[in-house]
Amino acid sequence: MSGKIFVWLLITVLLITVSFGEAQQAKKIPRLGVLAGGSPSSDSTRLQAFRQGLQELGWLEGQNIVIVYRYAEGRLDRLNKLAVELISSRVDIIIAQAPAAVRAAKSGSSTIPIVMAHGGDPVAQGFVASLARPGGNITGLSNFSAELSGKRLELLREAFPNVSRVAVIWNPDAPGPVLSFKELEIAAKALKVPLEPLQVRGPNDFEGAFQAARERAGSLVVIQDVVTVAHLKQIVELTAVHRLPAIYMEKEWAEAGGLMSYGVNQSDLHRRAAIYVDKILKGAKPADLPVEQPTKFEMVINLKTAKQIGLTIPPNVLARADKVIR
């Protein structure tokens, strides 16, 4: 009898232990850390697309998943600290919104999975070994497309054939813009378009850069990074004040009052980043998930802005736009 009681007690203890373990596991809700270079307002559209992607896969913020946000507000020097904060808060995955954020997350951890919402050229920047076989703890989306630099110059020249020199606003301290500027130089040489590079590291540099752009060039290309995106409205306003024909890298600029934009659909990249999160939470390793490239590109023209600064967009250029703001 005592033997039967012992067996019964042992089974009871095991059942209680298993049930308790299962209950604890069921209560564990995955934690995502979003590391963004901009602000809640400047990044709202992209993050909305990311949350929508998660929702489509059955992940609901505040219900079966927690998302912790950290914003650098356009200050590159804050990203490393914010990455450490996310790591200390025990997030399961870090979603890095831009190359500078990827670099900060990478420097903070070599084990926590890092998903690039857009990672520029991740191979050239040393984030992954290759697109097909990332290796390490980083995977996600690349938004680097070298031919886009040449395309933007072509569009500027086609829209404004009398412009002979193009000013370039860019941040030499950010990894993404450094690569983008090199590609722009290659494209400009092929197209025989002289460039006027104007470096900006923060908002205090904007006014001087735009004054120089008006004096030395007839049009403008803005290479974006966390600094310029965080001050998007200020840059668009300065461009209008100096009456410069300008082209930007993403549609958000044209929607905010910029003249033209041509580039990758960032909302699509962020929506697709949710797929990587889903796979990793279900057991996949970042090292085994190939980095994907952009598939959606868009050109936006703001005719309202063109009219305000006294510019005319040729019909053949207008016809190529995916969206025209009137």
Side-chain angles (χ1 to χ4, degrees), residues 265-284:
N265 185 318
Q266 292 293 335
S267 292
D268 179 63
L269 290 186
H270 281 69
R271 182 188 59 79
R272 289 164 61 191
I275 298 173
Y276 282 88
V277 170
D278 179 65
K279 289 180 178 179
I280 292 170
L281 289 176
K282 291 177 178 177

Side-chain angles (χ1 to χ4, degrees), residues 279-292:
K279 289 180 178 179
I280 292 170
L281 289 176
K282 291 177 178 177
K285 296 180 180 179
D288 300 329
L289 296 175
V291 174
E292 295 182 3

Side-chain angles (χ1 to χ4, degrees), residues 119-132:
D121 184 346
V123 177
Q125 295 180 93
F127 299 153
V128 298
S130 70
L131 298 184

Side-chain angles (χ1 to χ4, degrees), residues 106-188:
K106 181 177 184 291
S107 67
S109 176
S110 60
T111 56
I112 297 176
I114 298 168
V115 173
M116 301 178 292
H118 67 91
D121 184 346
V123 177
Q125 295 180 93
F127 299 153
V128 298
S130 70
L131 298 184
R133 292 180 170 273
N137 62 322
I138 302 176
T139 188
L141 288 306
S142 162
N143 73 329
F144 187 77
S145 187
E147 62 269 19
L148 294 185
S149 297
K151 188 71 172 180
R152 293 185 189 103
L153 284 180
E154 286 180 5
L155 288 169
L156 265 182
R157 190 169 64 173
E158 189 172 350
F160 309 103
N162 294 328
V163 171
S164 59
R165 194 173 192 86
V166 178
V168 184
I169 299 289
W170 70 296
N171 183 358
D173 293 340
V178 170
L179 290 173
S180 294
F181 182 72
K182 289 179 180 178
E183 293 299 332
L184 189 63
E185 284 185 309
I186 294 171

